[in-house]
Amino acid sequence: MGHGNSNKLYITHAEHTGQFGSHSASSGYRAKAQALHPGNRTPFDSCALSFQPFTHPVCARNSDGTGTVFDLVNIIPWLKQHNNTHPITKEPLTPAELITLHYSRKEASGEIHDPISFKPFSEHSHIVAIATTGNVYLAESIEGGRDLVNDVSFKKQDVITLQNPHALPQASVSVPVVLAAAVPSKQGTSKSAEPTVALPGGVIATKAKPAVPWNISPYSSGLPGASLTSTSVDPSTASSKLLWDEEELMFEDISNPVKGKGKEKDVGKRRAYVRLVTSLGGGSLNLELFCEKAPKTCYNFLMLAKAGKYDNCLFHRLVPGFMIQTGDPTGTGAGGESYWGMPFRDEHDLKGAAKHDSRGVLAMANKGPATNGSQFYLTFRATPHLDKKHTVFGKLVGGEGVLDLLEKLSLKEGTERPAKSVRITEVVIYQDPFEDYKKRLANKLAKKAQSEEASKSNSLEKKEGDEINWFGVKVGSDSSSAAESGGVGKYLSLKRPQVTTTQNGAADEPRKKRKTGFGDFSGW
């Protein structure tokens, strides 16, 4: 029943947590992405400059409340040689700003531990230092605002985070936060004001509400639930919405046909037109890029061309009757990166993808599935066996004579390299639908921001008559002044004529007001 060569009728603890099971509580953390967390790249007991265990540790405080640990014998020569520049953040750093750190070590083994709880430090520990004393603790040992080793108090701004691998909220503060005094309300309760940030010059600014991104989705990112149920996900308490990738939204907009009468056939506006100027007698290759069929591939080509990556590129591979290949800045055929710096996906499986069905087809060269970079090729004939293997993203629409001359170039003996060096001298872009999309999006967002600002300002402005209620009385004033104000209620305040005579012709005496209550008990 056991794993491996074991014949036991049960699974041992070593098999459950070891190389076969990997079901321990920390296996999820070990199974994270290959790249280490930014706060855990340097070992906690080593110098960030030499990556060797330190003997005289000092700390350089960063603006975000974190700190970088160096060895004094390494950082001082660096600062002298590089004009007092921080080796990691590239910010100004003088030797006087270095803070001497005091680590607690076990006498027998020399292992670094917390001076309060005596827990040893590890790569999973949340380690902090006190800037005023230089003592180093675990974050759980500094509660109470007092350095227990030197018996002195410290502020929250004095805490420097040296290592926080789980990305928990830092115990240090980079900008002083001032809370406004509680404002008593009419009901007698107190309402605390929003937190305000103290700016230079004594000005206190209210923390503005973050703007809602335009590419926000209606779906949740799922981080709060994942962090609650999994030990390998960093804790997250705030709800967050999932953001669509801006480039993917652009690719989707370009690939979808424009709606409207007769606009479905107008694909020219969704395609790019490029000219490759070669060193072969100044001849050019005019290319049409199928941005609606392979948007990501075309965008990669256009961005590399704008960055000048294709300038002076060599046509390094030539197979007469088959194709000619270029796009490698190194000229060896083994180099070239994409616009994003990493290989990207194929698009030969999309709906309506172009095929290798004629001469002059423009397609991406790769080393296998999803390994596209910067290299591309032009075919000399139809090559249907390359379909579903390479992404076709354009075709030749001008310069067939130059393509014929490239095919007739002689080769070096025993190789596929042309004997004569032919290069791409310049790439001219005549039409770029992606640039047009970005301009349209910028105008749309600008108009949306203006409309929101206008509606916000209109809601704040008081309209004429807003301070008058339905009865024509001004809010906050006495009812006797109702006749002087306008509105519908002004007719309700007219006085009725009084009767001045009676049947006997004598003037009526004013009626006595009816007494209420018991009075002074004189009639009892």
Side-chain angles (χ1 to χ4, degrees), residues 5-46:
N5 297 326
S6 175
N7 293 325
K8 298 178 180 178
L9 300 180
Y10 58 90
I11 300 176
T12 64
H13 177 269
E15 292 173 342
H16 182 73
T17 61
Q19 66 183 79
F20 301 110
S22 296
H23 300 302
S24 65
S26 60
S27 61
Y29 179 80
R30 291 196 301 266
K32 278 191 172 182
Q34 296 89 348
L36 292 176
H37 190 276
N40 197 24
R41 288 174 181 168
T42 306
F44 64 91
D45 59 347
S46 299

Side-chain angles (χ1 to χ4, degrees), residues 66 86 130 223 244 309 334 368 423 428 461 468:
T66 61
H86 196 291
I130 310 301
L223 286 178
W244 300 122
K309 299 295 184 181
R423 299 179 180 272
V428 183
E461 293 179 358
I468 306 300

